[in-house]
């Protein structure tokens, strides 16, 4: 059995092993596959098993790869695969659910704490001699914010939203959440479901953890920003198109939003003309919330379980 990984480098730049895949078949790993159909098809070759992270497998590509029986998406989101075309050709498509829950929740709080304390900027100031030359025993270059007693609004209350809420409550934050699915058992004295307008009106911090779909695309827009508190902070570790980036830039530059921590943008890698690159008080990281080694190990282990289950005729985590 021939197994191909089309874009393995981001998942495994060399600090993990592909041995478990090699035990199941003849393995070829490409660090990257250019996004043209000819190269994608050439790299797939006559493989029966194809793994992809961000390399697109559309109807044209799938229809011209008759040997493929299984596509494993090395991520939770699977929009890179035309699942309908795959189903028509009896190709099973699987994804990797929940591997990054704890990592993303931790990263969400890291962005929030950075906005509260500007640790990187203060550490750089010390290295540049500002503390040595300071006439006082201490200094700060920006306001420092205590979280206790403030309200965190979480849009989307799946696994990651819930994990973030638990950490937030340990910091003394009150949590309100807006979600399409309401599970009353998740409510506590300090964690309540509300409607979207209530969340926008009452949150000191808003964190996005919802999937990207027709209802949520552009949910952070000029109209909804106007409903927010002055000086609110915004975090997005979910999907870039949840935000109308030009509207967020204007809100940051006018101080309507006091700070934003953004790990995802509308086009990735980020384009040089992305509006957020010209926004004040905007921390942008290169889509790394998912990427601690521990989370990537879980991803690989689940990918192997998915493939083993498929080979036994008992597929799991099937998305088509």
């Amino acid at each position: 059995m021939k197994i191909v990984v089309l874009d393995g480098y981001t998942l495994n730049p060399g600090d993990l092993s592909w041995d478990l895949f090699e035990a199941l078949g003849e393995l070829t790993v490409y660090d990257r596959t250019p996004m043209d159909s000819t190269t994608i098809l050439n790299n797939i070759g006559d493989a029966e098993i194809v793994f992809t992270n961000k390399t697109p497998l559309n109807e044209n590509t799938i229809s011209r790869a008759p040997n493929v029986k299984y596509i494993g998406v090395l991520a939770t989101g699977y929009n890179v695969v035309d699942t309908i075309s795959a189903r028509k050709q009896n190709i099973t498509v699987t994804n990797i659910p929940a591997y990054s829950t704890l990592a993303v929740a931790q990263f969400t709080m890291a962005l929030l704490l950075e906005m509260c304390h500007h640790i990187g900027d203060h550490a750089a100031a010390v290295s540049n001699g500002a503390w040595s030359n300071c006439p006082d025993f201490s200094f700060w270059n920006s306001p420092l914010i205590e979280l206790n007693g403030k309200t965190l609004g979480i849009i989307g209350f799946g696994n990651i939203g819930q994990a973030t809420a638990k950490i937030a409550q340990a910091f003394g934050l009150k949590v309100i959440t807006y979600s399409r699915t309401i599970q009353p058992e998740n409510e506590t004295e300090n964690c309540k479901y509300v409607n979207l307008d209530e969340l926008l009106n009452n949150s000191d911090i808003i964190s996005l953890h919802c999937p990207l779909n027709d209802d949520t695309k552009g949910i952070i827009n000029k109209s909804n920003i106007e409903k927010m508190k002055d000086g609110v902070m915004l975090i997005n570790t979910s999907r870039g198109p949840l935000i109308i980036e030009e509207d967020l830039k204007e809100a940051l530059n006018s101080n309507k939003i006091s700070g934003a921590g953004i790990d995802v943008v509308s086009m990735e890698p980020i384009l040089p003309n992305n509006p957020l690159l010209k926004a004040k008080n905007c921390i942008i990281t290169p889509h790394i919330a998912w990427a601690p080694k521990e989370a990537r190990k879980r991803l690989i282990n689940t990918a192997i379980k998915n493939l083993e289950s498929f080979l036994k005729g008992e597929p799991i985590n099937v998305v088509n």
Side-chain angles (χ1 to χ4, degrees):
M1 183 176 65
K2 293 184 178 181
I3 304 171
V4 169
V5 179
L6 292 174
D7 47 3
Y9 185 85
T10 304
L11 169 60
N12 179 15
D15 57 347
L16 299 174
S17 172
W18 296 110
D19 289 352
L20 294 174
F21 291 84
E22 291 176 336
L24 296 176
E26 179 185 331
L27 177 68
T28 301
V29 178
Y30 296 95
D31 283 346
R32 303 166 188 87
T33 293
M35 301 295 186
D36 66 274
S37 59
T38 300
T39 306
I40 294 171
L41 283 166
N42 286 341
N43 286 359
I44 291 173
D46 58 354
E48 297 103 324
I49 308 297
V50 177
F51 284 96
T52 181
N53 191 328
K54 295 295 182 286
T55 302
L57 297 175
N58 58 28
E59 180 180 11
N60 177 56
T61 301
I62 291 170
S63 66
R64 295 164 64 193
N67 285 355
V68 175
K69 301 294 186 290
Y70 174 91
I71 297 172
V73 181
L74 297 170
T76 301
Y78 50 89
N79 58 303
V80 296
V81 178
D82 186 331
T83 55
I84 295 174
S85 296
R87 186 172 66 239
K88 288 178 181 177
Q89 293 192 207
N90 295 317
I91 298 171
T92 297
V93 183
T94 66
N95 75 333
I96 315 289
Y99 75 93
S100 65
T101 297
L102 298 177
V104 176
Q106 175 179 304
F107 196 86
T108 298
M109 298 308 295
L111 289 171
L112 177 55
L113 292 172
E114 178 63 21
M115 286 191 286
C116 288
H117 298 289
H118 303 277
I119 291 170
D121 289 342
H122 284 101
V126 171
S127 296
N128 292 331
W131 198 13
S132 300
N133 297 320
C134 180
D136 306 307
F137 81 95
S138 175
F139 73 93
W140 51 92
N141 292 331
S142 55
L144 306 177
I145 299 169
E146 182 177 284
L147 291 174
N148 184 65
K150 290 183 169 54
T151 298
L152 170 65
I154 296 177
I155 298 179
F157 211 55
N159 291 333
I160 296 174
Q162 292 173 38
T164 301
K166 289 179 181 178
I167 301 173
Q169 289 174 79
F171 279 91
L173 284 160
K174 299 176 182 178
V175 176
I176 55 177
T177 181
Y178 167 72
S179 180
R180 183 173 58 183
T181 302
I182 296 177
Q183 298 172 295
E185 65 272 18
N186 290 329
E187 289 195 317
T188 67
E189 183 179 352
N190 291 313
C191 182
K192 303 291 183 182
Y193 286 97
V194 297
N195 63 44
L196 181 58
D197 280 352
E198 285 181 84
L199 186 145
L200 296 172
N201 292 335
N202 296 312
S203 297
D204 300 298
I205 307 121
I206 294 174
S207 190
L208 304 180
H209 297 289
C210 52
L212 176 64
N213 54 42
D214 291 341
D215 292 330
T216 61
K217 185 176 182 180
I219 194 169
I220 302 302
N221 54 51
K222 185 174 183 179
S223 175
N224 280 339
I225 289 170
E226 288 174 352
K227 299 174 184 177
M228 297 177 189
K229 284 185 176 182
D230 291 343
V232 65
M233 292 183 281
L234 178 70
I235 303 167
N236 187 12
T237 55
S238 185
R239 291 291 181 264
L242 297 173
I243 295 174
I244 304 299
E245 291 168 335
E246 185 65 36
D247 293 351
L248 176 55
K249 182 196 81 170
E250 292 178 5
L252 285 163
N253 288 344
S254 69
N255 297 319
K256 172 66 177 179
I257 295 178
S258 64
I262 304 296
D263 188 50
V264 288
V265 293
S266 56
M267 291 289 292
E268 296 175 350
I270 193 168
L271 299 176
N273 63 348
N274 186 295
L276 296 179
L277 293 172
K278 295 184 178 180
K280 296 193 304 183
N281 301 321
C282 188
I283 301 166
I284 305 174
T285 51
H287 202 150
I288 55 173
W290 66 280
K293 187 175 181 179
E294 295 84 354
R296 290 183 288 113
K297 279 184 178 179
R298 284 194 294 271
L299 193 162
I300 283 181
N301 289 337
T302 301
I304 290 297
K305 289 178 183 177
N306 285 352
L307 179 53
E308 289 175 336
S309 297
F310 169 77
L311 296 175
K312 292 175 183 176
E314 302 171 352
I316 59 174
N317 296 321
V318 177
V319 297
N320 70 330

Coordinates of all heavy atoms in Angstrom, one line a residue, residues 3 131 137 152 214 221 225 275 279:
I3 N 1.4 5.2 0.6 CA 0.9 6.3 1.4 C 1.7 7.6 1.0 O 2.9 7.6 1.0 CB 1.0 6.0 2.9 CG1 0.4 4.7 3.3 CG2 0.5 7.2 3.7 CD1 0.7 4.2 4.7
W131 N 15.7 50.4 31.9 CA 15.6 50.2 33.3 C 16.9 50.7 34.0 O 16.8 51.4 35.0 CB 15.3 48.8 33.7 CG 14.8 48.6 35.1 CD1 14.3 49.5 35.9 CD2 14.6 47.3 35.8 NE1 13.9 49.0 37.1 CE2 14.1 47.6 37.1 CE3 14.9 46.0 35.5 CZ2 13.8 46.6 38.0 CZ3 14.6 45.0 36.4 CH2 14.1 45.3 37.7
F137 N 12.6 53.0 40.8 CA 12.9 51.6 40.9 C 12.1 50.7 39.9 O 12.4 49.6 39.7 CB 12.6 51.1 42.3 CG 11.1 50.8 42.6 CD1 10.6 49.5 42.4 CD2 10.3 51.9 42.9 CE1 9.3 49.3 42.7 CE2 8.9 51.6 43.2 CZ 8.4 50.3 43.0
L152 N -15.4 38.2 30.3 CA -14.9 37.6 29.0 C -16.1 37.1 28.2 O -16.9 36.2 28.7 CB -13.9 36.5 29.3 CG -13.6 35.6 28.0 CD1 -12.8 36.4 27.0 CD2 -12.7 34.4 28.5
D214 N -21.6 30.3 7.1 CA -22.4 31.4 6.5 C -22.9 32.4 7.6 O -23.0 33.6 7.4 CB -23.5 30.9 5.7 CG -23.1 30.3 4.4 OD1 -21.9 30.5 4.0 OD2 -23.9 29.5 3.8
N221 N -17.8 42.9 12.6 CA -17.9 43.9 11.6 C -18.2 45.3 12.2 O -18.4 45.4 13.4 CB -19.0 43.5 10.6 CG -20.3 43.2 11.3 OD1 -20.8 44.0 12.0 ND2 -20.9 42.0 11.0
I225 N -19.2 45.9 16.1 CA -18.2 46.6 16.9 C -18.8 47.8 17.6 O -18.4 48.1 18.7 CB -17.0 47.0 16.0 CG1 -16.2 45.8 15.6 CG2 -16.1 48.1 16.7 CD1 -15.1 46.1 14.5
P275 N -4.9 44.9 6.2 CA -5.1 46.1 6.9 C -4.6 46.0 8.4 O -4.2 47.1 8.9 CB -6.7 46.2 6.9 CG -7.1 45.4 5.8 CD -6.1 44.3 5.6
A279 N -2.6 48.5 11.9 CA -3.5 48.8 13.0 C -2.7 49.0 14.3 O -1.7 48.3 14.5 CB -4.5 47.7 13.2

